[in-house]
PDB file of all heavy atoms in Angstrom:
ATOM      1  N   ASP M   1       0.818  -1.208   0.000  1.00 77.00           N
ATOM      2  CA  ASP M   1       0.000   0.000   0.000  1.00 77.00           C
ATOM      3  C   ASP M   1       0.853   1.260   0.000  1.00 77.00           C
ATOM      4  O   ASP M   1       0.421   2.310  -0.455  1.00 77.00           O
ATOM      5  CB  ASP M   1      -0.919   0.016   1.224  1.00 77.00           C
ATOM      6  CG  ASP M   1      -1.948  -1.107   1.156  1.00 77.00           C
ATOM      7  OD1 ASP M   1      -2.267  -1.535   0.034  1.00 77.00           O
ATOM      8  OD2 ASP M   1      -2.418  -1.535   2.213  1.00 77.00           O
ATOM      9  N   ILE M   2       2.061   1.175   0.549  1.00 80.00           N
ATOM     10  CA  ILE M   2       2.927   2.344   0.658  1.00 80.00           C
ATOM     11  C   ILE M   2       3.866   2.391  -0.542  1.00 80.00           C
ATOM     12  O   ILE M   2       4.691   1.504  -0.736  1.00 80.00           O
ATOM     13  CB  ILE M   2       3.740   2.304   1.964  1.00 80.00           C
ATOM     14  CG1 ILE M   2       2.802   2.255   3.163  1.00 80.00           C
ATOM     15  CG2 ILE M   2       4.677   3.488   2.042  1.00 80.00           C
ATOM     16  CD1 ILE M   2       3.492   2.037   4.481  1.00 80.00           C
ATOM     17  N   VAL M   3       3.689   3.429  -1.331  1.00 72.00           N
ATOM     18  CA  VAL M   3       4.550   3.658  -2.486  1.00 72.00           C
ATOM     19  C   VAL M   3       5.407   4.877  -2.167  1.00 72.00           C
ATOM     20  O   VAL M   3       4.882   5.897  -1.715  1.00 72.00           O
ATOM     21  CB  VAL M   3       3.705   3.908  -3.758  1.00 72.00           C
ATOM     22  CG1 VAL M   3       4.593   4.161  -4.944  1.00 72.00           C
ATOM     23  CG2 VAL M   3       2.784   2.733  -4.018  1.00 72.00           C
ATOM     24  N   PRO M   4       6.722   4.792  -2.336  1.00 76.00           N
ATOM     25  CA  PRO M   4       7.570   5.933  -1.996  1.00 76.00           C
ATOM     26  C   PRO M   4       7.184   7.183  -2.805  1.00 76.00           C
ATOM     27  O   PRO M   4       7.161   7.136  -4.030  1.00 76.00           O
ATOM     28  CB  PRO M   4       8.978   5.471  -2.377  1.00 76.00           C
ATOM     29  CG  PRO M   4       8.901   3.996  -2.541  1.00 76.00           C
ATOM     30  CD  PRO M   4       7.486   3.670  -2.850  1.00 76.00           C
ATOM     31  N   PRO M   5       6.849   8.287  -2.125  1.00 83.00           N
ATOM     32  CA  PRO M   5       6.476   9.508  -2.851  1.00 83.00           C
ATOM     33  C   PRO M   5       7.709  10.335  -3.251  1.00 83.00           C
ATOM     34  O   PRO M   5       8.724  10.341  -2.559  1.00 83.00           O
ATOM     35  CB  PRO M   5       5.623  10.266  -1.836  1.00 83.00           C
ATOM     36  CG  PRO M   5       6.158   9.845  -0.518  1.00 83.00           C
ATOM     37  CD  PRO M   5       6.616   8.424  -0.690  1.00 83.00           C
ATOM     38  N   TRP M   6       7.596  11.027  -4.348  1.00 83.00           N
ATOM     39  CA  TRP M   6       8.667  11.900  -4.842  1.00 83.00           C
ATOM     40  C   TRP M   6       8.884  13.080  -3.889  1.00 83.00           C
ATOM     41  O   TRP M   6      10.008  13.516  -3.673  1.00 83.00           O
ATOM     42  CB  TRP M   6       8.313  12.393  -6.240  1.00 83.00           C
ATOM     43  CG  TRP M   6       9.287  13.363  -6.823  1.00 83.00           C
ATOM     44  CD1 TRP M   6       9.137  14.708  -6.899  1.00 83.00           C
ATOM     45  CD2 TRP M   6      10.555  13.079  -7.390  1.00 83.00           C
ATOM     46  NE1 TRP M   6      10.241  15.278  -7.484  1.00 83.00           N
ATOM     47  CE2 TRP M   6      11.130  14.297  -7.803  1.00 83.00           C
ATOM     48  CE3 TRP M   6      11.279  11.905  -7.593  1.00 83.00           C
ATOM     49  CZ2 TRP M   6      12.381  14.383  -8.408  1.00 83.00           C
ATOM     50  CZ3 TRP M   6      12.523  12.003  -8.211  1.00 83.00           C
ATOM     51  CH2 TRP M   6      13.053  13.223  -8.602  1.00 83.00           C
ATOM     52  N   SER M   7       7.812  13.563  -3.308  1.00 86.00           N
ATOM     53  CA  SER M   7       7.900  14.760  -2.458  1.00 86.00           C
ATOM     54  C   SER M   7       8.613  14.508  -1.132  1.00 86.00           C
ATOM     55  O   SER M   7       9.044  15.453  -0.487  1.00 86.00           O
ATOM     56  CB  SER M   7       6.499  15.297  -2.178  1.00 86.00           C
ATOM     57  OG  SER M   7       5.743  14.329  -1.486  1.00 86.00           O
ATOM     58  N   LYS M   8       8.754  13.275  -0.712  1.00 85.00           N
ATOM     59  CA  LYS M   8       9.416  12.954   0.557  1.00 85.00           C
ATOM     60  C   LYS M   8      10.881  12.558   0.343  1.00 85.00           C
ATOM     61  O   LYS M   8      11.478  11.903   1.183  1.00 85.00           O
ATOM     62  CB  LYS M   8       8.690  11.809   1.253  1.00 85.00           C
ATOM     63  CG  LYS M   8       7.265  12.085   1.572  1.00 85.00           C
ATOM     64  CD  LYS M   8       7.144  12.864   2.840  1.00 85.00           C
ATOM     65  CE  LYS M   8       5.654  12.985   3.160  1.00 85.00           C
ATOM     66  NZ  LYS M   8       5.394  13.821   4.269  1.00 85.00           N
ATOM     67  N   GLY M   9      11.441  12.959  -0.785  1.00 87.00           N
ATOM     68  CA  GLY M   9      12.815  12.586  -1.109  1.00 87.00           C
ATOM     69  C   GLY M   9      13.853  13.250  -0.222  1.00 87.00           C
ATOM     70  O   GLY M   9      13.592  14.267   0.414  1.00 87.00           O
ATOM     71  N   PRO M  10      15.035  12.691  -0.171  1.00 92.00           N
ATOM     72  CA  PRO M  10      16.126  13.253   0.633  1.00 92.00           C
ATOM     73  C   PRO M  10      16.810  14.402  -0.111  1.00 92.00           C
ATOM     74  O   PRO M  10      17.953  14.299  -0.543  1.00 92.00           O
ATOM     75  CB  PRO M  10      17.059  12.051   0.817  1.00 92.00           C
ATOM     76  CG  PRO M  10      16.852  11.247  -0.423  1.00 92.00           C
ATOM     77  CD  PRO M  10      15.403  11.420  -0.777  1.00 92.00           C
ATOM     78  N   TRP M  11      16.106  15.514  -0.268  1.00 94.00           N
ATOM     79  CA  TRP M  11      16.572  16.592  -1.136  1.00 94.00           C
ATOM     80  C   TRP M  11      17.882  17.220  -0.680  1.00 94.00           C
ATOM     81  O   TRP M  11      18.762  17.491  -1.495  1.00 94.00           O
ATOM     82  CB  TRP M  11      15.494  17.667  -1.268  1.00 94.00           C
ATOM     83  CG  TRP M  11      14.234  17.093  -1.817  1.00 94.00           C
ATOM     84  CD1 TRP M  11      13.027  17.035  -1.201  1.00 94.00           C
ATOM     85  CD2 TRP M  11      14.070  16.422  -3.065  1.00 94.00           C
ATOM     86  NE1 TRP M  11      12.122  16.378  -1.987  1.00 94.00           N
ATOM     87  CE2 TRP M  11      12.733  15.995  -3.143  1.00 94.00           C
ATOM     88  CE3 TRP M  11      14.915  16.119  -4.119  1.00 94.00           C
ATOM     89  CZ2 TRP M  11      12.227  15.302  -4.230  1.00 94.00           C
ATOM     90  CZ3 TRP M  11      14.412  15.428  -5.205  1.00 94.00           C
ATOM     91  CH2 TRP M  11      13.086  15.031  -5.251  1.00 94.00           C
ATOM     92  N   LEU M  12      18.031  17.448   0.608  1.00 95.00           N
ATOM     93  CA  LEU M  12      19.259  18.052   1.103  1.00 95.00           C
ATOM     94  C   LEU M  12      20.445  17.120   0.874  1.00 95.00           C
ATOM     95  O   LEU M  12      21.532  17.566   0.478  1.00 95.00           O
ATOM     96  CB  LEU M  12      19.121  18.400   2.587  1.00 95.00           C
ATOM     97  CG  LEU M  12      20.252  19.233   3.180  1.00 95.00           C
ATOM     98  CD1 LEU M  12      20.397  20.550   2.435  1.00 95.00           C
ATOM     99  CD2 LEU M  12      20.004  19.489   4.648  1.00 95.00           C
ATOM    100  N   LEU M  13      20.245  15.843   1.098  1.00 96.00           N
ATOM    101  CA  LEU M  13      21.307  14.868   0.859  1.00 96.00           C
ATOM    102  C   LEU M  13      21.673  14.809  -0.627  1.00 96.00           C
ATOM    103  O   LEU M  13      22.857  14.766  -0.979  1.00 96.00           O
ATOM    104  CB  LEU M  13      20.869  13.488   1.354  1.00 96.00           C
ATOM    105  CG  LEU M  13      21.870  12.358   1.164  1.00 96.00           C
ATOM    106  CD1 LEU M  13      23.100  12.602   2.032  1.00 96.00           C
ATOM    107  CD2 LEU M  13      21.241  11.031   1.508  1.00 96.00           C
ATOM    108  N   LEU M  14      20.677  14.820  -1.492  1.00 96.00           N
ATOM    109  CA  LEU M  14      20.940  14.786  -2.933  1.00 96.00           C
ATOM    110  C   LEU M  14      21.662  16.048  -3.383  1.00 96.00           C
ATOM    111  O   LEU M  14      22.591  15.991  -4.197  1.00 96.00           O
ATOM    112  CB  LEU M  14      19.631  14.619  -3.711  1.00 96.00           C
ATOM    113  CG  LEU M  14      18.918  13.287  -3.538  1.00 96.00           C
ATOM    114  CD1 LEU M  14      17.572  13.323  -4.243  1.00 96.00           C
ATOM    115  CD2 LEU M  14      19.767  12.154  -4.068  1.00 96.00           C
ATOM    116  N   PHE M  15      21.243  17.194  -2.862  1.00 96.00           N
ATOM    117  CA  PHE M  15      21.903  18.443  -3.214  1.00 96.00           C
ATOM    118  C   PHE M  15      23.351  18.445  -2.721  1.00 96.00           C
ATOM    119  O   PHE M  15      24.268  18.851  -3.431  1.00 96.00           O
ATOM    120  CB  PHE M  15      21.141  19.642  -2.649  1.00 96.00           C
ATOM    121  CG  PHE M  15      21.760  20.960  -3.015  1.00 96.00           C
ATOM    122  CD1 PHE M  15      21.704  21.439  -4.307  1.00 96.00           C
ATOM    123  CD2 PHE M  15      22.411  21.712  -2.051  1.00 96.00           C
ATOM    124  CE1 PHE M  15      22.284  22.643  -4.645  1.00 96.00           C
ATOM    125  CE2 PHE M  15      22.994  22.920  -2.372  1.00 96.00           C
ATOM    126  CZ  PHE M  15      22.930  23.390  -3.678  1.00 96.00           C
ATOM    127  N   GLY M  16      23.559  17.965  -1.503  1.00 97.00           N
ATOM    128  CA  GLY M  16      24.916  17.874  -0.967  1.00 97.00           C
ATOM    129  C   GLY M  16      25.797  16.945  -1.783  1.00 97.00           C
ATOM    130  O   GLY M  16      26.973  17.228  -2.024  1.00 97.00           O
ATOM    131  N   ALA M  17      25.228  15.825  -2.221  1.00 97.00           N
ATOM    132  CA  ALA M  17      25.990  14.898  -3.071  1.00 97.00           C
ATOM    133  C   ALA M  17      26.336  15.545  -4.404  1.00 97.00           C
ATOM    134  O   ALA M  17      27.441  15.376  -4.922  1.00 97.00           O
ATOM    135  CB  ALA M  17      25.184  13.623  -3.290  1.00 97.00           C
ATOM    136  N   GLY M  18      25.401  16.311  -4.962  1.00 96.00           N
ATOM    137  CA  GLY M  18      25.672  17.005  -6.218  1.00 96.00           C
ATOM    138  C   GLY M  18      26.752  18.058  -6.070  1.00 96.00           C
ATOM    139  O   GLY M  18      27.639  18.185  -6.925  1.00 96.00           O
ATOM    140  N   VAL M  19      26.710  18.813  -4.978  1.00 96.00           N
ATOM    141  CA  VAL M  19      27.737  19.830  -4.729  1.00 96.00           C
ATOM    142  C   VAL M  19      29.095  19.172  -4.517  1.00 96.00           C
ATOM    143  O   VAL M  19      30.115  19.634  -5.052  1.00 96.00           O
ATOM    144  CB  VAL M  19      27.339  20.710  -3.525  1.00 96.00           C
ATOM    145  CG1 VAL M  19      28.503  21.577  -3.070  1.00 96.00           C
ATOM    146  CG2 VAL M  19      26.144  21.576  -3.878  1.00 96.00           C
ATOM    147  N   ALA M  20      29.126  18.073  -3.769  1.00 97.00           N
ATOM    148  CA  ALA M  20      30.392  17.366  -3.533  1.00 97.00           C
ATOM    149  C   ALA M  20      30.959  16.799  -4.831  1.00 97.00           C
ATOM    150  O   ALA M  20      32.172  16.888  -5.080  1.00 97.00           O
ATOM    151  CB  ALA M  20      30.182  16.251  -2.512  1.00 97.00           C
ATOM    152  N   LEU M  21      30.097  16.233  -5.661  1.00 96.00           N
ATOM    153  CA  LEU M  21      30.545  15.695  -6.949  1.00 96.00           C
ATOM    154  C   LEU M  21      31.056  16.804  -7.861  1.00 96.00           C
ATOM    155  O   LEU M  21      32.095  16.655  -8.513  1.00 96.00           O
ATOM    156  CB  LEU M  21      29.398  14.931  -7.617  1.00 96.00           C
ATOM    157  CG  LEU M  21      29.705  14.177  -8.894  1.00 96.00           C
ATOM    158  CD1 LEU M  21      30.788  13.132  -8.635  1.00 96.00           C
ATOM    159  CD2 LEU M  21      28.447  13.505  -9.411  1.00 96.00           C
ATOM    160  N   THR M  22      30.353  17.928  -7.889  1.00 94.00           N
ATOM    161  CA  THR M  22      30.800  19.071  -8.691  1.00 94.00           C
ATOM    162  C   THR M  22      32.143  19.587  -8.191  1.00 94.00           C
ATOM    163  O   THR M  22      33.046  19.863  -8.989  1.00 94.00           O
ATOM    164  CB  THR M  22      29.753  20.196  -8.651  1.00 94.00           C
ATOM    165  OG1 THR M  22      28.512  19.695  -9.149  1.00 94.00           O
ATOM    166  CG2 THR M  22      30.183  21.378  -9.489  1.00 94.00           C
ATOM    167  N   ALA M  23      32.292  19.718  -6.881  1.00 95.00           N
ATOM    168  CA  ALA M  23      33.558  20.190  -6.311  1.00 95.00           C
ATOM    169  C   ALA M  23      34.690  19.236  -6.656  1.00 95.00           C
ATOM    170  O   ALA M  23      35.791  19.673  -7.015  1.00 95.00           O
ATOM    171  CB  ALA M  23      33.429  20.349  -4.804  1.00 95.00           C
ATOM    172  N   ALA M  24      34.445  17.934  -6.556  1.00 94.00           N
ATOM    173  CA  ALA M  24      35.483  16.955  -6.881  1.00 94.00           C
ATOM    174  C   ALA M  24      35.911  17.059  -8.343  1.00 94.00           C
ATOM    175  O   ALA M  24      37.109  17.011  -8.654  1.00 94.00           O
ATOM    176  CB  ALA M  24      34.990  15.544  -6.573  1.00 94.00           C
ATOM    177  N   ILE M  25      34.954  17.238  -9.228  1.00 92.00           N
ATOM    178  CA  ILE M  25      35.282  17.353 -10.651  1.00 92.00           C
ATOM    179  C   ILE M  25      36.042  18.641 -10.929  1.00 92.00           C
ATOM    180  O   ILE M  25      37.015  18.650 -11.692  1.00 92.00           O
ATOM    181  CB  ILE M  25      34.004  17.246 -11.508  1.00 92.00           C
ATOM    182  CG1 ILE M  25      33.509  15.803 -11.474  1.00 92.00           C
ATOM    183  CG2 ILE M  25      34.249  17.702 -12.936  1.00 92.00           C
ATOM    184  CD1 ILE M  25      32.196  15.581 -12.153  1.00 92.00           C
ATOM    185  N   LEU M  26      35.635  19.740 -10.314  1.00 91.00           N
ATOM    186  CA  LEU M  26      36.341  21.005 -10.534  1.00 91.00           C
ATOM    187  C   LEU M  26      37.752  20.964  -9.950  1.00 91.00           C
ATOM    188  O   LEU M  26      38.689  21.498 -10.563  1.00 91.00           O
ATOM    189  CB  LEU M  26      35.537  22.161  -9.942  1.00 91.00           C
ATOM    190  CG  LEU M  26      34.243  22.497 -10.683  1.00 91.00           C
ATOM    191  CD1 LEU M  26      33.491  23.587  -9.944  1.00 91.00           C
ATOM    192  CD2 LEU M  26      34.510  22.907 -12.113  1.00 91.00           C
ATOM    193  N   ILE M  27      37.917  20.340  -8.798  1.00 93.00           N
ATOM    194  CA  ILE M  27      39.255  20.225  -8.210  1.00 93.00           C
ATOM    195  C   ILE M  27      40.143  19.346  -9.088  1.00 93.00           C
ATOM    196  O   ILE M  27      41.306  19.682  -9.343  1.00 93.00           O
ATOM    197  CB  ILE M  27      39.169  19.683  -6.766  1.00 93.00           C
ATOM    198  CG1 ILE M  27      38.579  20.757  -5.858  1.00 93.00           C
ATOM    199  CG2 ILE M  27      40.533  19.237  -6.257  1.00 93.00           C
ATOM    200  CD1 ILE M  27      38.213  20.269  -4.481  1.00 93.00           C
ATOM    201  N   TYR M  28      39.593  18.232  -9.569  1.00 91.00           N
ATOM    202  CA  TYR M  28      40.376  17.372 -10.464  1.00 91.00           C
ATOM    203  C   TYR M  28      40.777  18.126 -11.730  1.00 91.00           C
ATOM    204  O   TYR M  28      41.920  18.030 -12.180  1.00 91.00           O
ATOM    205  CB  TYR M  28      39.595  16.116 -10.844  1.00 91.00           C
ATOM    206  CG  TYR M  28      40.274  15.351 -11.952  1.00 91.00           C
ATOM    207  CD1 TYR M  28      41.405  14.587 -11.696  1.00 91.00           C
ATOM    208  CD2 TYR M  28      39.814  15.426 -13.267  1.00 91.00           C
ATOM    209  CE1 TYR M  28      42.050  13.914 -12.714  1.00 91.00           C
ATOM    210  CE2 TYR M  28      40.456  14.761 -14.287  1.00 91.00           C
ATOM    211  CZ  TYR M  28      41.576  14.000 -14.008  1.00 91.00           C
ATOM    212  OH  TYR M  28      42.223  13.348 -15.013  1.00 91.00           O
ATOM    213  N   THR M  29      39.849  18.875 -12.303  1.00 88.00           N
ATOM    214  CA  THR M  29      40.147  19.623 -13.521  1.00 88.00           C
ATOM    215  C   THR M  29      41.218  20.669 -13.270  1.00 88.00           C
ATOM    216  O   THR M  29      42.116  20.857 -14.094  1.00 88.00           O
ATOM    217  CB  THR M  29      38.873  20.304 -14.057  1.00 88.00           C
ATOM    218  OG1 THR M  29      37.885  19.300 -14.299  1.00 88.00           O
ATOM    219  CG2 THR M  29      39.143  21.044 -15.350  1.00 88.00           C
ATOM    220  N   ALA M  30      41.149  21.350 -12.136  1.00 86.00           N
ATOM    221  CA  ALA M  30      42.120  22.397 -11.830  1.00 86.00           C
ATOM    222  C   ALA M  30      43.503  21.821 -11.562  1.00 86.00           C
ATOM    223  O   ALA M  30      44.511  22.402 -11.985  1.00 86.00           O
ATOM    224  CB  ALA M  30      41.656  23.209 -10.631  1.00 86.00           C
ATOM    225  N   LEU M  31      43.576  20.707 -10.866  1.00 88.00           N
ATOM    226  CA  LEU M  31      44.868  20.168 -10.456  1.00 88.00           C
ATOM    227  C   LEU M  31      45.411  19.078 -11.365  1.00 88.00           C
ATOM    228  O   LEU M  31      46.620  18.865 -11.405  1.00 88.00           O
ATOM    229  CB  LEU M  31      44.774  19.624  -9.023  1.00 88.00           C
ATOM    230  CG  LEU M  31      44.385  20.628  -7.953  1.00 88.00           C
ATOM    231  CD1 LEU M  31      44.287  19.940  -6.603  1.00 88.00           C
ATOM    232  CD2 LEU M  31      45.366  21.778  -7.905  1.00 88.00           C
ATOM    233  N   GLY M  32      44.543  18.393 -12.077  1.00 83.00           N
ATOM    234  CA  GLY M  32      44.983  17.226 -12.827  1.00 83.00           C
ATOM    235  C   GLY M  32      45.084  17.391 -14.325  1.00 83.00           C
ATOM    236  O   GLY M  32      45.507  16.473 -15.017  1.00 83.00           O
ATOM    237  N   THR M  33      44.694  18.522 -14.849  1.00 78.00           N
ATOM    238  CA  THR M  33      44.741  18.701 -16.292  1.00 78.00           C
ATOM    239  C   THR M  33      45.511  19.970 -16.634  1.00 78.00           C
ATOM    240  O   THR M  33      45.833  20.768 -15.765  1.00 78.00           O
ATOM    241  CB  THR M  33      43.326  18.800 -16.891  1.00 78.00           C
ATOM    242  OG1 THR M  33      42.662  19.931 -16.327  1.00 78.00           O
ATOM    243  CG2 THR M  33      42.516  17.549 -16.612  1.00 78.00           C
ATOM    244  N   GLY M  34      45.774  20.148 -17.893  1.00 78.00           N
ATOM    245  CA  GLY M  34      46.453  21.362 -18.340  1.00 78.00           C
ATOM    246  C   GLY M  34      47.923  21.121 -18.615  1.00 78.00           C
ATOM    247  O   GLY M  34      48.445  20.023 -18.472  1.00 78.00           O
ATOM    248  N   ALA M  35      48.573  22.183 -19.007  1.00 79.00           N
ATOM    249  CA  ALA M  35      49.985  22.113 -19.343  1.00 79.00           C
ATOM    250  C   ALA M  35      50.827  22.208 -18.075  1.00 79.00           C
ATOM    251  O   ALA M  35      50.368  22.661 -17.027  1.00 79.00           O
ATOM    252  CB  ALA M  35      50.346  23.244 -20.291  1.00 79.00           C
ATOM    253  N   SER M  36      52.070  21.788 -18.185  1.00 80.00           N
ATOM    254  CA  SER M  36      52.961  21.874 -17.035  1.00 80.00           C
ATOM    255  C   SER M  36      53.282  23.341 -16.745  1.00 80.00           C
ATOM    256  O   SER M  36      53.261  24.181 -17.648  1.00 80.00           O
ATOM    257  CB  SER M  36      54.239  21.086 -17.292  1.00 80.00           C
ATOM    258  OG  SER M  36      54.975  21.688 -18.334  1.00 80.00           O
ATOM    259  N   PRO M  37      53.600  23.660 -15.508  1.00 80.00           N
ATOM    260  CA  PRO M  37      53.834  25.057 -15.130  1.00 80.00           C
ATOM    261  C   PRO M  37      55.019  25.717 -15.843  1.00 80.00           C
ATOM    262  O   PRO M  37      55.047  26.932 -15.988  1.00 80.00           O
ATOM    263  CB  PRO M  37      54.098  24.989 -13.629  1.00 80.00           C
ATOM    264  CG  PRO M  37      53.506  23.716 -13.188  1.00 80.00           C
ATOM    265  CD  PRO M  37      53.589  22.786 -14.350  1.00 80.00           C
ATOM    266  N   ASP M  38      55.969  24.925 -16.302  1.00 85.00           N
ATOM    267  CA  ASP M  38      57.133  25.533 -16.951  1.00 85.00           C
ATOM    268  C   ASP M  38      56.984  25.648 -18.470  1.00 85.00           C
ATOM    269  O   ASP M  38      57.933  26.002 -19.156  1.00 85.00           O
ATOM    270  CB  ASP M  38      58.396  24.756 -16.602  1.00 85.00           C
ATOM    271  CG  ASP M  38      58.350  23.329 -17.116  1.00 85.00           C
ATOM    272  OD1 ASP M  38      57.249  22.856 -17.438  1.00 85.00           O
ATOM    273  OD2 ASP M  38      59.418  22.683 -17.174  1.00 85.00           O
ATOM    274  N   SER M  39      55.806  25.366 -19.014  1.00 88.00           N
ATOM    275  CA  SER M  39      55.601  25.479 -20.453  1.00 88.00           C
ATOM    276  C   SER M  39      55.320  26.930 -20.856  1.00 88.00           C
ATOM    277  O   SER M  39      54.959  27.759 -20.039  1.00 88.00           O
ATOM    278  CB  SER M  39      54.467  24.567 -20.908  1.00 88.00           C
ATOM    279  OG  SER M  39      53.276  24.936 -20.288  1.00 88.00           O
ATOM    280  N   VAL M  40      55.506  27.202 -22.133  1.00 90.00           N
ATOM    281  CA  VAL M  40      55.320  28.546 -22.676  1.00 90.00           C
ATOM    282  C   VAL M  40      54.055  28.564 -23.514  1.00 90.00           C
ATOM    283  O   VAL M  40      53.839  27.682 -24.355  1.00 90.00           O
ATOM    284  CB  VAL M  40      56.536  28.949 -23.545  1.00 90.00           C
ATOM    285  CG1 VAL M  40      56.327  30.304 -24.169  1.00 90.00           C
ATOM    286  CG2 VAL M  40      57.806  28.913 -22.723  1.00 90.00           C
ATOM    287  N   TYR M  41      53.207  29.583 -23.286  1.00 90.00           N
ATOM    288  CA  TYR M  41      51.949  29.706 -24.026  1.00 90.00           C
ATOM    289  C   TYR M  41      52.153  30.596 -25.235  1.00 90.00           C
ATOM    290  O   TYR M  41      52.713  31.674 -25.137  1.00 90.00           O
ATOM    291  CB  TYR M  41      50.855  30.285 -23.137  1.00 90.00           C
ATOM    292  CG  TYR M  41      49.542  30.475 -23.861  1.00 90.00           C
ATOM    293  CD1 TYR M  41      48.802  29.380 -24.278  1.00 90.00           C
ATOM    294  CD2 TYR M  41      49.047  31.740 -24.134  1.00 90.00           C
ATOM    295  CE1 TYR M  41      47.603  29.540 -24.935  1.00 90.00           C
ATOM    296  CE2 TYR M  41      47.852  31.912 -24.791  1.00 90.00           C
ATOM    297  CZ  TYR M  41      47.133  30.808 -25.191  1.00 90.00           C
ATOM    298  OH  TYR M  41      45.945  30.967 -25.851  1.00 90.00           O
ATOM    299  N   HIS M  42      51.694  30.130 -26.389  1.00 89.00           N
ATOM    300  CA  HIS M  42      51.709  30.920 -27.621  1.00 89.00           C
ATOM    301  C   HIS M  42      50.270  31.315 -27.921  1.00 89.00           C
ATOM    302  O   HIS M  42      49.405  30.453 -28.103  1.00 89.00           O
ATOM    303  CB  HIS M  42      52.303  30.116 -28.772  1.00 89.00           C
ATOM    304  CG  HIS M  42      53.749  29.776 -28.566  1.00 89.00           C
ATOM    305  ND1 HIS M  42      54.756  30.653 -28.844  1.00 89.00           N
ATOM    306  CD2 HIS M  42      54.341  28.664 -28.071  1.00 89.00           C
ATOM    307  CE1 HIS M  42      55.917  30.102 -28.550  1.00 89.00           C
ATOM    308  NE2 HIS M  42      55.691  28.881 -28.069  1.00 89.00           N
ATOM    309  N   ALA M  43      50.022  32.601 -27.953  1.00 92.00           N
ATOM    310  CA  ALA M  43      48.673  33.130 -28.157  1.00 92.00           C
ATOM    311  C   ALA M  43      48.177  32.836 -29.570  1.00 92.00           C
ATOM    312  O   ALA M  43      48.969  32.607 -30.489  1.00 92.00           O
ATOM    313  CB  ALA M  43      48.663  34.627 -27.900  1.00 92.00           C
ATOM    314  N   PRO M  44      46.848  32.847 -29.765  1.00 93.00           N
ATOM    315  CA  PRO M  44      46.314  32.676 -31.116  1.00 93.00           C
ATOM    316  C   PRO M  44      46.836  33.778 -32.022  1.00 93.00           C
ATOM    317  O   PRO M  44      47.078  34.909 -31.603  1.00 93.00           O
ATOM    318  CB  PRO M  44      44.802  32.804 -30.936  1.00 93.00           C
ATOM    319  CG  PRO M  44      44.557  32.553 -29.498  1.00 93.00           C
ATOM    320  CD  PRO M  44      45.781  32.982 -28.783  1.00 93.00           C
ATOM    321  N   SER M  45      47.018  33.423 -33.284  1.00 91.00           N
ATOM    322  CA  SER M  45      47.532  34.410 -34.239  1.00 91.00           C
ATOM    323  C   SER M  45      46.808  34.251 -35.562  1.00 91.00           C
ATOM    324  O   SER M  45      46.206  33.220 -35.845  1.00 91.00           O
ATOM    325  CB  SER M  45      49.037  34.230 -34.427  1.00 91.00           C
ATOM    326  OG  SER M  45      49.313  32.936 -34.926  1.00 91.00           O
ATOM    327  N   LEU M  46      46.898  35.289 -36.344  1.00 91.00           N
ATOM    328  CA  LEU M  46      46.281  35.292 -37.667  1.00 91.00           C
ATOM    329  C   LEU M  46      47.291  34.730 -38.649  1.00 91.00           C
ATOM    330  O   LEU M  46      48.348  35.316 -38.894  1.00 91.00           O
ATOM    331  CB  LEU M  46      45.867  36.710 -38.044  1.00 91.00           C
ATOM    332  CG  LEU M  46      44.905  36.863 -39.205  1.00 91.00           C
ATOM    333  CD1 LEU M  46      43.632  36.074 -38.944  1.00 91.00           C
ATOM    334  CD2 LEU M  46      44.579  38.313 -39.438  1.00 91.00           C
TER     335      LEU M  46
END
């Protein structure tokens, strides 16, 4: 008789998990990707 309702969801927990996942991805992108610090950047040119 009891069907789990959408409105009684763990919204704060889901939001926290989403924020944590987003933070983890942004931290990985900032620290784990890109060129090495001693490389030289050449700007776009015509």
